[in-house]
Amino acid sequence: DLDEFMQIGHNVKDLNEGRPRATQTRQGVVEIMPVPADPLESHPVSRIVLVEDNTADVYLLEKALESRGIRYELYRYNDGEQAIRGLGAPTAALPDLILVDLNLPRRSGFDVVRMVRQTPRFIDVPVGILTTSNTERDRHRIALMGLECYIHKPLNLDDFLRDVGSAVEKLLDARRDGSGHGEGGAGV
């Protein structure tokens, strides 16, 4: 079962200390799932924070990243409250990208984004929404928050891999180019 595999402690590290270990909380498991670094690869490893409660979507995101050849460390928060606490910790590592689902347990993705946007150290970190919501209201709220990218999760696997992989690649490229921002709030 995919859920069991993801929560057994597979390559899990504490987000603040970077030591290999599983951190089990009542709210879920904070996970890091790194792709092994290839010394011949010219692109650096990207530190990506994902706020997502659906383990299957985490797996699909990993496949989308791998399909684009993106080398990454994926730090996952299972709910909004966990993300707000973790990202708000002064010792938390600075990510290259933050991806947030809107529909989360305990606190919404909007709450997470609001906290991130109000935290000065995240000013140059691109933030993207990765969600099943495709309502005009949600898109408008996100645009008003000044987010770089709104990614609607496609239902088709090939579309998911292509669209999500492409959007993440653009956000990371923008970060590496120094702009810290993608191509605007409209997104995919």
Side-chain angles (χ1 to χ4, degrees), residues 3 50 52-59 76 78 101 104 153:
D3 285 328
L50 175 64
E52 174 63 69
D53 60 324
N54 185 325
T55 303
D57 286 340
V58 175
Y59 176 78
R76 175 188 180 197
N78 292 324
D101 186 10
L104 296 166
K153 294 176 189 172

Side-chain angles (χ1 to χ4, degrees), residues 34-167:
V35 169
D38 180 352
L40 301 176
E41 181 64 47
S42 62
H43 293 294
V45 174
S46 297
R47 182 176 289 151
I48 301 172
V49 168
L50 175 64
V51 186
E52 174 63 69
D53 60 324
N54 185 325
T55 303
D57 286 340
V58 175
Y59 176 78
L60 290 174
L61 175 65
E62 287 185 282
K63 293 303 171 197
L65 296 171
E66 291 165 9
S67 75
R68 291 290 188 164
I70 297 171
R71 296 172 57 230
Y72 64 92
E73 289 181 344
L74 185 63
Y75 296 79
R76 175 188 180 197
Y77 294 104
N78 292 324
D79 64 56
E81 183 65 34
Q82 189 183 58
I84 288 170
R85 277 195 327 269
L87 290 168
T91 57
L94 191 64
D96 295 305
L97 172 63
I98 300 172
L99 296 172
V100 181
D101 186 10
L102 290 180
N103 304 307
L104 296 166
R106 301 186 66 212
R107 298 282 293 270
S108 77
F110 293 108
D111 292 337
V112 174
V113 170
R114 191 173 301 108
M115 183 284 293
V116 167
R117 282 296 178 233
Q118 292 173 351
T119 305
R121 68 190 202 95
F122 294 124
I123 193 90
D124 292 325
V125 177
V127 179
I129 295 300
L130 182 60
T131 186
T132 56
S133 173
N134 203 19
T135 68
E136 197 58 39
R137 180 176 183 259
D138 285 347
R139 285 179 175 274
H140 182 72
R141 283 181 72 187
I142 290 304
L144 290 175
M145 295 175 107
L147 290 201
E148 285 73 21
C149 193
Y150 189 104
I151 308 163
H152 177 252
K153 294 176 189 172
L155 298 177
N156 176 284
L157 177 61
D158 291 334
D159 292 344
F160 189 102
L161 297 177
R162 182 192 63 238
D163 295 350
V164 173
S166 174

